[in-house]
Amino acid sequence: MSNIKNGKGVIGWIDYRLPIFSTLQHTLIDYPTPRNLNYWWNFGSLAGIFLMIQIITGIVLAMHYTPSVEGAFASIEHIMRDVNYGWLIRYIHMNGASFFFIVVYIHIFRGLYYGSYKSPREVLWWLGLIILLLMMATAFMGYVLPWGQMSFWGATVITNLFSAVPVVGTAVVEWLWGGFAVDNALLNRFFALHYLFPFLIVGVVILHIVALHTHGSNNPLGIDRKGPQDSIPFHPYYTIKDLFGLSFVLTIFAAVVFYAPDFLGHPDNYIPADPLKTPAHIVPEWYFLPFYAILRAVPDKLGGVIAMISAILILFALPWLDTSKVRSATFRPIYKKFFWFLFIDVIILTWVGGSPAEGHFILIGQLATIYYFAHFIIFMPIIGIIETPKPLPNSISESVLNKPIKDGT
Ligand code: HEM
């Protein structure tokens, strides 16, 4: 490593001209990290790992996949039955998408709890939201590729939403389709974009990390670091902690991939797409269900689309909707309760989104939708003003070690 600094050896020679090794050294080894990060801070690196898993397995799948309405379904069966370990690659990719969303949703809720979106991390938060939007588009297009019943009807329902746009709606939908129906042209462009988008995500993740490293990580106390005694180097402390968390999550992942690979999927997608047969209930993958519930909660089509999009867009304004100066919910007795109410509300939306839009589900979905928006537009600003936060500790080291320390030892 000293070769990097003194410019000696091959590594030093390259680094003097292109500081790639010193950047890695600074980012993954020396990087001063708050000494009190808990396991909720594992989920950023886990998200990065799942992004890599999706890209690697996706590239291998693409080598055997046929992007045409005649060949798509059969090529997936070919991957499952004939390609060496094709079943494994596909099951990892299928369930990897679900795990990627689980990990990223936990990552977002961690941010909501500890106020990680607040100054000076607003842009970091926005970049995260852009990643989320790209992930959603990628997952949606990927689900269309097997050309099963849910692929076809999911694509039909969602692309048709654009017809709600006044005046140009129908033209936009036909432009998206590349014709007058969900057909070969759409499948082809979805395949092309599904291959492209993960690389865009990689680009935004790099910006996300640059923004993160500009001011450093937030921490469970939500207070700024006062000096070197509040930090520890990323390696070995957090590399080993991230690896431990990874081995734990990969164990659960392996259990799902090997023992319940279809648990998170819908059986109808094992039926080839049939434009003449509409499934009884068209449902998206589980990670879209809360948004699907919001879409259906509004009786008007355009209104539903606006509500669904707003459910994510509102998160961009969060740094200003939250009026509290205190970041961490640990010191915010009222906000802490409302955080959990929001969490339960999202679970309810997920449940409603997966249920048929009839009977009492309609009312529950509408109430849960109103609550979702009220949380951000009404409760967050008001709580920040009326709440009396608990006293904050003087410093991270004092809180963690229970006594003030003078140096970094
Ligand atoms: C591919 C998806 C993503 C990757 C690979 C990723 C990666 C990371 C990493 C490695 C960290 C540092 C470790 C940590 O704090 O957990 C981080 C922090 C952060 N991420 Fe993400 N992230 C992703 C998506 C998101 C999304 C969707 C959001 C929010 C909408 C988000 C918001 C944040 C915030 C606010 C922080 C700072 C947390 C803090 O310091 O307390 N990220 N991200």
Side-chain angles (χ1 to χ4, degrees):
M1 290 304 162
S2 62
N3 274 357
I4 299 180
K5 287 196 190 92
N6 62 25
K8 287 203 178 124
V10 178
I11 290 186
W13 188 90
I14 295 174
D15 200 72
Y16 184 62
R17 286 147 183 91
L18 178 72
I20 184 153
F21 296 105
S22 45
T23 306
L24 285 177
Q25 161 101 21
H26 177 72
T27 320
L28 292 174
I29 297 176
D30 305 334
Y31 177 62
T33 316
R35 64 191 308 153
N36 60 338
L37 297 187
N38 58 29
Y39 278 111
W40 300 115
W41 266 260
N42 278 50
F43 287 85
S45 70
L46 282 171
I49 300 282
F50 275 103
L51 177 59
M52 288 305 136
I53 292 177
Q54 289 309 95
I55 290 180
I56 293 166
T57 50
I59 290 173
V60 179
L61 286 175
M63 294 172 189
H64 302 278
Y65 171 76
T66 310
S68 77
V69 292
E70 293 84 22
F73 191 88
S75 73
I76 298 286
E77 284 306 298
H78 162 71
I79 289 169
M80 295 294 282
R81 291 156 194 259
D82 310 326
V83 174
N84 286 335
Y85 292 100
W87 59 272
L88 181 59
I89 306 281
R90 178 173 184 234
Y91 279 152
I92 292 177
H93 196 76
M94 251 168 74
N95 289 287
S98 277
F99 271 68
F100 194 9
F101 273 97
I102 295 173
V103 162
V104 165
Y105 283 157
I106 295 176
H107 189 64
I108 296 174
F109 272 103
R110 183 282 313 263
L112 290 176
Y113 189 86
Y114 293 109
S116 297
Y117 48 84
K118 291 190 195 185
S119 177
R121 297 184 184 81
E122 300 93 328
V123 173
L124 167 65
W125 173 253
W126 286 348
L127 290 165
L129 290 172
I130 292 170
I131 296 173
L132 179 65
L133 290 170
L134 286 170
M135 277 176 69
M136 289 179 150
T138 310
F140 166 64
M141 292 187 290
Y143 194 60
V144 177
L145 302 183
W147 211 244
Q149 272 290 67
M150 277 301 163
S151 304
F152 178 84
W153 289 99
T156 304
V157 169
I158 301 300
T159 52
N160 260 310
L161 292 179
F162 288 89
S163 69
V165 179
V167 189
V168 290
T170 311
V172 171
V173 174
E174 285 170 3
W175 174 75
L176 275 177
W177 286 346
F180 301 100
V182 171
D183 211 331
N184 211 46
L186 183 89
L187 179 61
N188 264 291
R189 59 189 61 177
F190 272 19
F191 177 55
L193 295 175
H194 181 70
Y195 206 131
L196 170 73
F197 273 34
F199 296 96
L200 297 184
I201 296 178
V202 170
V204 187
V205 167
I206 292 171
L207 296 179
H208 192 66
I209 304 295
V210 172
L212 175 77
H213 285 205
T214 304
H215 290 283
S217 289
N218 181 29
N219 65 82
L221 296 172
I223 55 174
D224 290 331
R225 281 172 280 174
K226 300 266 156 48
Q229 70 277 15
D230 288 344
S231 302
I232 44 174
F234 190 79
H235 179 74
Y237 298 104
Y238 288 110
T239 40
I240 206 73
K241 190 168 179 173
D242 278 354
L243 276 175
F244 175 71
L246 176 66
S247 59
F248 183 79
V249 171
L250 284 186
T251 307
I252 302 172
F253 183 54
V256 175
V257 165
F258 288 109
Y259 293 106
D262 289 309
F263 177 70
L264 295 163
H266 198 292
D268 278 15
N269 228 27
Y270 282 103
I271 304 169
D274 185 348
L276 298 178
K277 229 186 258 163
T278 316
H281 301 296
I282 303 173
V283 277
E285 291 280 83
W286 69 267
Y287 37 79
F288 290 134
L289 292 177
F291 302 100
Y292 196 50
I294 293 174
L295 170 79
R296 295 193 303 184
V298 185
D300 171 62
K301 193 173 179 182
L302 181 61
V305 174
I306 292 172
M308 182 174 70
I309 297 171
S310 308
I312 295 185
L313 293 189
I314 194 144
L315 298 175
F316 280 89
L318 209 61
W320 297 275
L321 289 171
D322 186 346
T323 47
S324 173
K325 294 265 174 296
V326 176
R327 290 200 190 102
S328 175
T330 313
F331 303 102
R332 303 188 55 194
I334 304 181
Y335 174 73
K336 192 194 273 184
K337 290 203 178 70
F338 276 79
F339 168 87
W340 288 111
F341 293 157
L342 176 74
F343 180 76
I344 294 166
D345 188 60
V346 173
I347 302 285
I348 292 173
L349 284 170
T350 308
W351 167 59
V352 171
S355 310
E358 57 195 31
H360 58 279
F361 287 118
I362 296 179
L363 182 65
I364 299 175
Q366 288 173 339
L367 292 175
T369 300
I370 292 170
Y371 187 86
Y372 179 88
F373 286 103
H375 174 88
F376 295 109
I377 299 171
I378 302 172
F379 302 140
M380 267 194 132
I382 294 178
I383 294 170
I385 295 165
I386 62 167
E387 181 183 55
T388 312
K390 290 190 201 159
L392 295 174
N394 289 325
S395 74
I396 294 176
S397 53
E398 187 185 310
S399 163
V400 172
L401 306 168
N402 242 343
K403 62 177 166 46
I405 51 168
K406 298 273 179 299
D407 55 24
T409 52

